[in-house]
Coordinates of all heavy atoms in Angstrom, one line a residue:
M969 N -32.8 -8.7 -11.5 CA -33.6 -9.0 -10.4 C -32.9 -8.6 -9.0 O -33.5 -8.0 -8.1 CB -33.9 -10.5 -10.4 CG -34.9 -10.9 -9.4 SD -36.5 -10.2 -9.7 CE -37.5 -11.2 -8.8
N970 N -31.6 -8.9 -8.9 CA -30.9 -8.6 -7.7 C -30.8 -7.1 -7.5 O -30.9 -6.6 -6.4 CB -29.4 -9.1 -7.8 CG -29.4 -10.6 -7.6 OD1 -30.3 -11.1 -7.0 ND2 -28.3 -11.2 -8.0
R971 N -30.7 -6.3 -8.6 CA -30.6 -4.9 -8.5 C -32.0 -4.3 -8.0 O -32.0 -3.5 -7.1 CB -30.3 -4.3 -9.9 CG -30.2 -2.8 -9.9 CD -29.7 -2.3 -11.2 NE -29.7 -0.9 -11.2 CZ -30.0 -0.1 -12.3 NH1 -30.3 -0.7 -13.4 NH2 -30.0 1.2 -12.2
L972 N -33.1 -4.9 -8.5 CA -34.4 -4.5 -8.0 C -34.6 -4.8 -6.5 O -35.2 -4.0 -5.8 CB -35.5 -5.1 -8.8 CG -35.7 -4.6 -10.2 CD1 -36.8 -5.4 -11.0 CD2 -36.2 -3.1 -10.2
M973 N -34.1 -5.9 -6.1 CA -34.2 -6.4 -4.7 C -33.4 -5.4 -3.8 O -33.9 -5.0 -2.7 CB -33.7 -7.8 -4.5 CG -34.6 -8.8 -5.2 SD -36.2 -8.9 -4.4 CE -35.8 -9.7 -2.9
R974 N -32.2 -5.0 -4.2 CA -31.3 -4.1 -3.5 C -32.0 -2.7 -3.4 O -32.1 -2.1 -2.3 CB -30.0 -3.9 -4.1 CG -29.0 -5.0 -3.8 CD -27.6 -4.6 -4.1 NE -27.4 -4.1 -5.4 CZ -27.1 -4.7 -6.6 NH1 -26.9 -6.0 -6.5 NH2 -27.0 -4.1 -7.7
Q975 N -32.6 -2.3 -4.5 CA -33.3 -1.0 -4.4 C -34.5 -1.0 -3.5 O -34.7 -0.1 -2.7 CB -33.7 -0.6 -5.8 CG -32.6 -0.1 -6.7 CD -33.1 0.3 -8.1 OE1 -34.1 -0.2 -8.6 NE2 -32.4 1.2 -8.7
S976 N -35.2 -2.1 -3.5 CA -36.4 -2.3 -2.7 C -36.0 -2.3 -1.2 O -36.6 -1.6 -0.4 CB -37.1 -3.5 -3.0 OG -38.2 -3.7 -2.2
Q977 N -34.9 -2.9 -0.9 CA -34.4 -3.0 0.5 C -34.0 -1.6 0.9 O -34.2 -1.1 2.1 CB -33.3 -4.0 0.7 CG -33.7 -5.4 0.6 CD -32.5 -6.4 0.6 OE1 -31.4 -6.0 0.4 NE2 -32.8 -7.7 0.7
Q978 N -33.3 -0.9 0.1 CA -32.8 0.5 0.4 C -34.0 1.4 0.6 O -34.0 2.2 1.5 CB -31.9 1.0 -0.8 CG -30.6 0.4 -0.8 CD -29.8 1.0 -2.0 OE1 -30.3 1.4 -3.0 NE2 -28.5 0.9 -1.9
E979 N -35.0 1.2 -0.3 CA -36.3 2.1 -0.1 C -36.9 1.8 1.2 O -37.4 2.7 1.9 CB -37.2 1.8 -1.3 CG -36.7 2.3 -2.6 CD -37.6 1.9 -3.8 OE1 -38.5 1.0 -3.6 OE2 -37.4 2.4 -4.9
R980 N -37.0 0.5 1.6 CA -37.6 0.2 2.9 C -36.8 0.8 4.1 O -37.4 1.4 5.0 CB -37.7 -1.3 3.1 CG -38.9 -1.9 2.4 CD -39.1 -3.3 2.9 NE -38.0 -4.3 2.5 CZ -38.0 -5.0 1.4 NH1 -39.0 -5.0 0.6 NH2 -37.0 -5.8 1.2
R981 N -35.5 0.7 4.0 CA -34.6 1.4 5.0 C -34.8 2.9 5.1 O -34.9 3.4 6.1 CB -33.1 1.0 4.8 CG -32.7 -0.3 5.4 CD -31.2 -0.5 5.3 NE -31.1 -1.5 4.3 CZ -30.3 -1.5 3.3 NH1 -29.4 -0.5 3.1 NH2 -30.3 -2.4 2.4
I982 N -34.9 3.5 3.9 CA -35.1 4.9 3.9 C -36.5 5.3 4.4 O -36.6 6.2 5.2 CB -35.0 5.4 2.4 CG1 -33.5 5.3 2.0 CG2 -35.5 6.9 2.3 CD1 -33.3 5.6 0.5
A983 N -37.5 4.5 4.1 CA -38.8 4.7 4.6 C -38.8 4.6 6.2 O -39.5 5.4 6.9 CB -39.8 3.7 4.0
V984 N -38.1 3.6 6.7 CA -38.1 3.4 8.2 C -37.4 4.6 8.8 O -37.8 5.2 9.8 CB -37.4 2.1 8.5 CG1 -37.0 2.1 10.0 CG2 -38.2 0.9 8.2
Q985 N -36.3 5.1 8.2 CA -35.5 6.2 8.7 C -36.4 7.5 8.7 O -36.4 8.3 9.6 CB -34.2 6.4 7.9 CG -33.2 5.4 8.1 CD -32.0 5.5 7.2 OE1 -32.1 6.3 6.2 NE2 -30.9 4.8 7.5
L986 N -37.2 7.6 7.6 CA -38.1 8.8 7.5 C -39.1 8.7 8.6 O -39.4 9.8 9.2 CB -38.7 8.8 6.1 CG -39.7 9.9 5.8 CD1 -39.0 11.3 5.9 CD2 -40.3 9.8 4.4
L987 N -39.7 7.6 8.8 CA -40.7 7.5 9.9 C -40.1 7.8 11.3 O -40.7 8.4 12.1 CB -41.3 6.1 9.9 CG -42.3 5.8 8.7 CD1 -42.7 4.3 8.8 CD2 -43.5 6.7 8.8
Q988 N -38.9 7.3 11.5 CA -38.2 7.6 12.7 C -37.9 9.1 12.9 O -38.1 9.7 14.0 CB -36.9 6.8 12.8 CG -37.1 5.3 13.0 CD -35.7 4.6 13.0 OE1 -34.8 5.0 12.4 NE2 -35.7 3.4 13.6
A989 N -37.5 9.7 11.8 CA -37.2 11.2 11.9 C -38.5 11.9 12.1 O -38.5 12.9 12.9 CB -36.6 11.6 10.5
R990 N -39.6 11.5 11.5 CA -40.9 12.2 11.8 C -41.3 12.0 13.2 O -41.8 12.9 13.8 CB -42.0 11.6 10.8 CG -41.8 12.1 9.4 CD -42.9 11.5 8.5 NE -42.7 12.0 7.1 CZ -43.3 11.5 6.1 NH1 -44.1 10.4 6.2 NH2 -43.1 12.0 4.9
H991 N -41.1 10.8 13.7 CA -41.5 10.6 15.1 C -40.6 11.5 16.1 O -41.2 12.1 17.0 CB -41.3 9.1 15.5 CG -41.6 8.8 16.9 ND1 -42.8 8.8 17.5 CD2 -40.7 8.5 17.9 CE1 -42.7 8.5 18.8 NE2 -41.4 8.3 19.1
E992 N -39.3 11.5 15.8 CA -38.5 12.3 16.6 C -38.9 13.8 16.6 O -38.9 14.5 17.6 CB -37.0 12.2 16.2 CG -36.4 10.8 16.6 CD -35.1 10.6 16.0 OE1 -34.5 11.5 15.3 OE2 -34.5 9.4 16.1
K993 N -39.2 14.2 15.4 CA -39.7 15.6 15.2 C -40.9 15.9 16.0 O -41.0 17.0 16.7 CB -39.9 15.9 13.7 CG -40.4 17.3 13.4 CD -40.6 17.5 11.9 CE -41.1 18.9 11.6 NZ -41.4 19.0 10.2
E994 N -41.8 15.0 16.0 CA -43.1 15.1 16.8 C -42.8 15.2 18.3 O -43.3 16.0 19.1 CB -44.1 14.0 16.5 CG -45.4 14.1 17.3 CD -46.2 15.4 17.0 OE1 -46.0 16.0 16.0 OE2 -47.0 15.7 17.9
V995 N -41.9 14.3 18.8 CA -41.5 14.3 20.2 C -40.8 15.6 20.6 O -41.2 16.2 21.6 CB -40.5 13.1 20.5 CG1 -39.9 13.3 21.9 CG2 -41.3 11.8 20.4
I996 N -40.0 16.1 19.7 CA -39.3 17.4 20.0 C -40.4 18.5 20.0 O -40.3 19.4 20.9 CB -38.3 17.7 18.9 CG1 -37.1 16.8 19.1 CG2 -37.8 19.2 18.9 CD1 -36.1 16.8 17.9
R997 N -41.3 18.5 19.1 CA -42.4 19.5 19.1 C -43.2 19.5 20.4 O -43.4 20.5 21.0 CB -43.3 19.3 17.9 CG -44.3 20.4 17.7 CD -45.3 20.1 16.5 NE -46.2 19.0 16.9 CZ -47.3 19.2 17.7 NH1 -47.6 20.3 18.1 NH2 -48.0 18.1 18.0
R998 N -43.6 18.3 20.8 CA -44.4 18.2 22.0 C -43.6 18.6 23.3 O -44.2 19.3 24.1 CB -44.9 16.7 22.2 CG -46.1 16.5 21.4 CD -46.7 15.1 21.7 NE -46.2 14.1 20.7 CZ -45.7 13.0 21.0 NH1 -45.6 12.5 22.3 NH2 -45.2 12.2 20.1
N999 N -42.3 18.3 23.3 CA -41.5 18.7 24.4 C -41.4 20.2 24.5 O -41.4 20.8 25.6 CB -40.1 18.1 24.3 CG -40.1 16.6 24.6 OD1 -41.1 16.1 25.2 ND2 -39.1 15.9 24.3
R1000 N -41.2 20.8 23.3 CA -41.1 22.3 23.3 C -42.4 22.9 23.8 O -42.3 23.9 24.6 CB -40.8 22.8 21.9 CG -40.6 24.3 21.7 CD -40.2 24.7 20.4 NE -41.1 24.2 19.3 CZ -40.7 23.5 18.3 NH1 -39.5 23.2 18.1 NH2 -41.6 23.1 17.4
I1001 N -43.5 22.4 23.4 CA -44.8 23.0 23.9 C -44.9 22.8 25.4 O -45.3 23.8 26.1 CB -46.0 22.3 23.1 CG1 -46.0 22.7 21.7 CG2 -47.3 22.6 23.8 CD1 -47.0 21.9 20.8
Q1002 N -44.6 21.7 25.9 CA -44.6 21.4 27.3 C -43.7 22.4 28.1 O -44.0 22.9 29.1 CB -44.3 20.0 27.6 CG -44.4 19.6 29.1 CD -44.0 18.2 29.4 OE1 -43.4 17.5 28.5 NE2 -44.3 17.7 30.5
R1003 N -42.5 22.5 27.5 CA -41.5 23.4 28.2 C -42.0 24.9 28.2 O -41.9 25.6 29.2 CB -40.2 23.3 27.4 CG -39.0 23.9 28.1 CD -37.7 23.6 27.5 NE -37.7 23.8 26.0 CZ -37.6 22.8 25.1 NH1 -37.6 21.5 25.5 NH2 -37.6 23.1 23.8
E1004 N -42.6 25.3 27.1 CA -43.2 26.7 27.0 C -44.3 26.8 28.1 O -44.4 27.9 28.7 CB -43.7 27.0 25.6 CG -42.6 27.2 24.6 CD -41.7 28.4 25.0 OE1 -42.2 29.4 25.5 OE2 -40.5 28.3 24.7
Q1005 N -45.1 25.8 28.2 CA -46.2 25.9 29.2 C -45.6 26.0 30.6 O -46.1 26.7 31.5 CB -47.1 24.7 29.1 CG -47.9 24.7 27.9 CD -48.7 23.3 27.7 OE1 -48.4 22.3 28.3 NE2 -49.7 23.4 26.8
M1006 N -44.5 25.2 30.9 CA -43.9 25.3 32.2 C -43.3 26.6 32.4 O -43.4 27.2 33.6 CB -42.8 24.2 32.3 CG -43.3 22.8 32.4 SD -42.1 21.5 32.2 CE -40.8 21.9 33.3
Y1007 N -42.6 27.2 31.4 CA -42.1 28.6 31.6 C -43.2 29.6 31.9 O -43.0 30.5 32.7 CB -41.3 29.0 30.3 CG -40.1 28.3 30.0 CD1 -39.6 28.2 28.7 CD2 -39.3 27.7 31.0 CE1 -38.4 27.5 28.4 CE2 -38.1 27.0 30.7 CZ -37.7 26.9 29.4 OH -36.5 26.3 29.1
E1008 N -44.3 29.5 31.2 CA -45.4 30.4 31.4 C -45.9 30.3 32.8 O -46.2 31.3 33.5 CB -46.5 30.2 30.4 CG -47.7 31.1 30.5 CD -47.4 32.5 30.4 OE1 -46.5 32.9 29.6 OE2 -48.1 33.4 31.0
E1009 N -46.1 29.1 33.3 CA -46.5 28.8 34.7 C -45.6 29.4 35.7 O -46.0 30.0 36.7 CB -46.7 27.3 34.9 CG -47.2 27.0 36.3 CD -48.6 27.5 36.6 OE1 -49.4 27.8 35.7 OE2 -48.9 27.5 37.8
R1010 N -44.3 29.3 35.4 CA -43.3 29.8 36.3 C -43.3 31.3 36.4 O -43.2 32.0 37.4 CB -41.9 29.3 35.9 CG -40.7 29.8 36.8 CD -40.8 29.0 38.1 NE -41.1 29.9 39.2 CZ -41.4 29.6 40.4 NH1 -41.5 28.3 40.8 NH2 -41.7 30.5 41.3
R1011 N -43.5 31.9 35.2 CA -43.6 33.4 35.1 C -44.8 33.9 35.9 O -44.7 34.9 36.6 CB -43.6 33.9 33.7 CG -42.3 33.8 32.9 CD -42.4 34.6 31.6 NE -43.2 33.9 30.6 CZ -42.8 33.0 29.8 NH1 -41.5 32.6 29.7 NH2 -43.7 32.4 28.9
R1012 N -45.9 33.2 35.7 CA -47.1 33.5 36.5 C -46.9 33.4 38.0 O -47.3 34.4 38.7 CB -48.3 32.6 36.0 CG -49.7 33.1 36.6 CD -50.7 32.0 36.3 NE -50.5 30.7 36.9 CZ -50.6 30.4 38.2 NH1 -51.0 31.4 39.0 NH2 -50.3 29.2 38.6
K1013 N -46.3 32.3 38.4 CA -46.1 32.2 39.9 C -45.1 33.3 40.4 O -45.3 33.8 41.5 CB -45.5 30.8 40.1 CG -46.5 29.7 40.1 CD -45.9 28.4 40.4 CE -46.9 27.3 40.4 NZ -46.3 25.9 40.6
D1014 N -44.1 33.5 39.6 CA -43.1 34.6 40.0 C -43.8 35.9 40.2 O -43.5 36.7 41.1 CB -42.0 34.7 39.0 CG -41.0 33.5 39.1 OD1 -41.1 32.7 40.1 OD2 -40.2 33.3 38.2
F1015 N -44.7 36.2 39.2 CA -45.4 37.5 39.3 C -46.3 37.6 40.5 O -46.3 38.6 41.2 CB -46.3 37.7 38.0 CG -47.1 38.9 38.0 CD1 -46.5 40.2 37.8 CD2 -48.5 38.8 38.2 CE1 -47.3 41.3 37.8 CE2 -49.2 40.0 38.2 CZ -48.6 41.2 38.0
E1016 N -47.0 36.5 40.8 CA -47.9 36.4 41.9 C -47.1 36.6 43.2 O -47.5 37.3 44.1 CB -48.7 35.1 42.0 CG -49.8 35.1 40.9 CD -50.6 33.8 41.0 OE1 -50.3 32.9 41.8 OE2 -51.5 33.6 40.1
E1017 N -46.0 35.9 43.3 CA -45.1 36.0 44.5 C -44.6 37.5 44.7 O -44.6 38.0 45.8 CB -44.0 35.1 44.4 CG -44.4 33.6 44.6 CD -43.3 32.6 44.3 OE1 -42.1 33.0 44.0 OE2 -43.5 31.4 44.4
A1018 N -44.2 38.1 43.6 CA -43.7 39.5 43.6 C -44.9 40.4 44.1 O -44.6 41.3 44.9 CB -43.2 39.9 42.3
M1019 N -46.1 40.2 43.6 CA -47.2 41.0 44.0 C -47.5 40.8 45.5 O -47.8 41.8 46.2 CB -48.4 40.7 43.2 CG -48.3 41.1 41.7 SD -47.9 42.8 41.5 CE -49.5 43.5 41.9
N1020 N -47.4 39.6 46.0 CA -47.6 39.3 47.4 C -46.6 40.0 48.3 O -46.9 40.5 49.3 CB -47.7 37.8 47.7 CG -48.9 37.1 47.1 OD1 -49.9 37.8 47.0 ND2 -48.9 35.8 46.9
R1021 N -45.3 39.9 47.8 CA -44.3 40.6 48.6 C -44.5 42.1 48.6 O -44.3 42.7 49.7 CB -42.9 40.3 48.0 CG -42.4 38.9 48.3 CD -40.9 38.8 47.9 NE -40.7 39.1 46.5 CZ -40.7 38.2 45.5 NH1 -41.0 36.9 45.7 NH2 -40.5 38.5 44.2
E1022 N -44.9 42.7 47.5 CA -45.2 44.1 47.5 C -46.3 44.5 48.4 O -46.3 45.5 49.1 CB -45.5 44.5 46.0 CG -45.7 46.0 45.8 CD -44.4 46.8 46.0 OE1 -43.3 46.2 45.8 OE2 -44.5 48.0 46.2
S1023 N -47.3 43.6 48.4 CA -48.5 43.9 49.3 C -48.1 43.8 50.8 O -48.5 44.7 51.5 CB -49.6 42.8 49.0 OG -50.6 43.0 49.9
V1024 N -47.3 42.9 51.1 CA -46.8 42.8 52.5 C -46.0 44.0 52.9 O -46.1 44.6 53.9 CB -46.0 41.5 52.7 CG1 -45.2 41.5 54.0 CG2 -46.9 40.3 52.6
C1025 N -45.1 44.4 51.9 CA -44.3 45.6 52.2 C -45.2 46.8 52.3 O -44.9 47.7 53.3 CB -43.4 45.8 51.0 SG -42.2 47.1 51.2
C1026 N -46.2 47.0 51.5 CA -47.1 48.1 51.6 C -47.9 48.1 52.9 O -48.0 49.2 53.6 CB -48.1 48.2 50.4 SG -47.3 48.7 48.9
D1027 N -48.3 46.9 53.3 CA -49.0 46.8 54.6 C -48.1 47.2 55.8 O -48.5 47.9 56.7 CB -49.5 45.4 54.8 CG -50.7 45.0 53.9 OD1 -51.2 45.9 53.2 OD2 -50.9 43.8 53.7
F1028 N -46.9 46.8 55.7 CA -45.9 47.2 56.7 C -45.7 48.7 56.8 O -45.7 49.3 57.9 CB -44.6 46.5 56.5 CG -43.5 46.9 57.4 CD1 -43.5 46.4 58.7 CD2 -42.5 47.7 57.1 CE1 -42.5 46.8 59.6 CE2 -41.5 48.1 57.9 CZ -41.5 47.6 59.2
H1029 N -45.5 49.3 55.6 CA -45.4 50.8 55.6 C -46.6 51.5 56.2 O -46.4 52.5 56.9 CB -45.0 51.2 54.2 CG -43.6 50.9 53.8 ND1 -42.5 51.5 54.3 CD2 -43.2 50.0 52.9 CE1 -41.4 51.0 53.8 NE2 -41.8 50.1 52.9
I1030 N -47.8 51.0 55.8 CA -49.0 51.6 56.3 C -49.0 51.5 57.9 O -49.4 52.4 58.6 CB -50.2 51.0 55.7 CG1 -50.3 51.5 54.2 CG2 -51.5 51.4 56.4 CD1 -51.3 50.7 53.4
E1031 N -48.7 50.3 58.3 CA -48.7 50.1 59.8 C -47.7 50.9 60.5 O -48.0 51.6 61.5 CB -48.4 48.6 60.1 CG -48.5 48.2 61.5 CD -48.2 46.7 61.7 OE1 -48.5 45.9 60.8 OE2 -47.8 46.4 62.8
V1032 N -46.5 51.1 60.0 CA -45.5 51.9 60.6 C -45.9 53.4 60.6 O -45.8 54.1 61.5 CB -44.1 51.7 59.8 CG1 -43.1 52.8 60.3 CG2 -43.6 50.3 60.1
A1033 N -46.5 53.8 59.4 CA -47.0 55.2 59.4 C -48.1 55.4 60.4 O -48.1 56.5 61.0 CB -47.5 55.5 57.9
G1034 N -48.9 54.5 60.6 CA -50.0 54.6 61.6 C -49.4 54.7 63.0 O -50.0 55.4 63.8
L1035 N -48.3 54.0 63.3 CA -47.7 54.1 64.6 C -46.9 55.4 64.8 O -46.9 55.9 65.9 CB -46.7 52.9 64.8 CG -47.4 51.5 64.9 CD1 -46.3 50.4 64.9 CD2 -48.3 51.4 66.1
L1036 N -46.4 55.9 63.7 CA -45.6 57.1 63.8 C -46.4 58.4 63.9 O -45.9 59.4 64.5 CB -44.6 57.2 62.6 CG -43.5 56.2 62.6 CD1 -42.6 56.4 61.3 CD2 -42.6 56.3 63.8
N1037 N -47.6 58.4 63.3 CA -48.4 59.6 63.3 C -48.7 60.1 64.8 O -48.4 61.3 65.0 CB -49.7 59.4 62.6 CG -49.4 59.5 61.1 OD1 -48.4 60.1 60.6 ND2 -50.3 59.0 60.3
P1038 N -49.1 59.3 65.7 CA -49.3 59.7 67.1 C -48.0 60.2 67.7 O -48.0 61.2 68.5 CB -49.9 58.5 67.8 CG -50.4 57.6 66.7 CD -49.6 57.9 65.5
I1039 N -46.9 59.5 67.4 CA -45.6 59.8 68.0 C -45.2 61.2 67.5 O -44.7 62.1 68.2 CB -44.6 58.7 67.7 CG1 -45.0 57.4 68.4 CG2 -43.2 59.2 68.2 CD1 -44.1 56.3 68.1
S1040 N -45.4 61.4 66.2 CA -45.0 62.7 65.6 C -45.8 63.8 66.1 O -45.3 64.9 66.4 CB -45.2 62.6 64.1 OG -44.4 61.6 63.5
A1041 N -47.1 63.5 66.3 CA -48.0 64.6 66.9 C -47.6 64.9 68.3 O -47.5 66.1 68.7 CB -49.4 64.1 66.9
A1042 N -47.2 63.9 69.1 CA -46.8 64.2 70.5 C -45.4 64.9 70.5 O -45.3 65.9 71.3 CB -46.6 62.8 71.3
L1043 N -44.5 64.6 69.6 CA -43.3 65.3 69.5 C -43.5 66.8 69.1 O -42.8 67.7 69.6 CB -42.3 64.6 68.6 CG -41.7 63.3 69.1 CD1 -40.9 62.7 68.0 CD2 -40.8 63.6 70.3
M1044 N -44.4 67.0 68.2 CA -44.7 68.3 67.8 C -45.2 69.2 68.9 O -44.9 70.4 68.9 CB -45.7 68.3 66.6 CG -45.2 67.7 65.3 SD -43.7 68.6 64.7 CE -44.5 70.1 64.1
Q1045 N -45.9 68.6 69.8 CA -46.4 69.4 71.0 C -45.2 69.9 71.8 O -45.3 71.0 72.4 CB -47.3 68.6 71.8 CG -48.7 68.3 71.2 CD -49.6 67.4 72.0 OE1 -49.1 66.9 73.1 NE2 -50.8 67.2 71.6
F1046 N -44.2 69.1 72.0 CA -43.1 69.5 72.8 C -42.2 70.6 72.1 O -41.6 71.4 72.7 CB -42.2 68.3 73.1 CG -42.8 67.4 74.1 CD1 -43.2 66.1 73.8 CD2 -43.0 67.8 75.4 CE1 -43.8 65.3 74.7 CE2 -43.5 67.0 76.4 CZ -43.9 65.7 76.0
I1047 N -42.2 70.5 70.7 CA -41.4 71.4 70.0 C -42.1 72.8 69.9 O -41.4 73.8 70.1 CB -41.2 70.9 68.5 CG1 -40.4 69.6 68.6 CG2 -40.6 71.9 67.6 CD1 -40.2 68.9 67.2
I1048 N -43.4 72.8 69.9 CA -44.1 74.1 69.8 C -44.2 74.7 71.1 O -43.8 75.0 72.0 CB -45.5 73.9 69.2 CG1 -45.5 73.3 67.8 CG2 -46.3 75.1 69.3 CD1 -46.8 73.0 67.2

């Protein structure tokens, strides 16, 4: 009878440990999914910021080119 009681207690402890391990596994899985979502959002924001910087740079070059064209034309008149 004592042997059966010991085995039963061990089985209960093992069952509790198994449930704890399953819970920890689920927490790790959810954390990984959340972390991947955060990484994806950061990549998206970084891409948008890079595109905005590129747009500003292009706008600046277009503006500078627009200012230089009349100056270049005036200089060409003096050279010719």
Side-chain angles (χ1 to χ4, degrees):
M969 186 69 160
N970 284 339
R971 183 174 175 214
L972 286 175
M973 292 294 286
R974 278 195 314 264
Q975 284 179 335
S976 180
Q977 288 173 350
Q978 287 176 335
E979 288 172 352
R980 279 195 293 266
R981 272 186 256 134
I982 291 170
V984 167
Q985 289 172 347
L986 180 60
L987 288 174
Q988 288 173 338
R990 286 180 180 165
H991 176 73
E992 289 172 4
K993 181 180 177 182
E994 179 61 22
V995 169
I996 290 168
R997 187 186 70 79
R998 279 188 265 133
N999 287 345
R1000 182 175 53 237
I1001 290 170
Q1002 183 181 16
R1003 194 171 46 251
E1004 288 298 323
Q1005 289 171 343
M1006 290 170 50
Y1007 291 155
E1008 179 60 32
E1009 179 66 18
R1010 183 72 244 170
R1011 284 190 293 268
R1012 186 188 62 75
K1013 284 182 180 178
D1014 288 346
F1015 177 76
E1016 288 178 3
E1017 289 171 0
M1019 293 302 290
N1020 287 337
R1021 284 191 302 271
E1022 185 69 21
S1023 175
V1024 167
C1025 187
C1026 287
D1027 290 345
F1028 175 75
H1029 285 291
I1030 290 169
E1031 185 178 332
V1032 168
L1035 292 173
L1036 291 179
N1037 282 339
I1039 296 171
S1040 297
L1043 287 174
M1044 290 302 286
Q1045 288 177 356
F1046 287 113
I1047 295 174
I1048 297 179

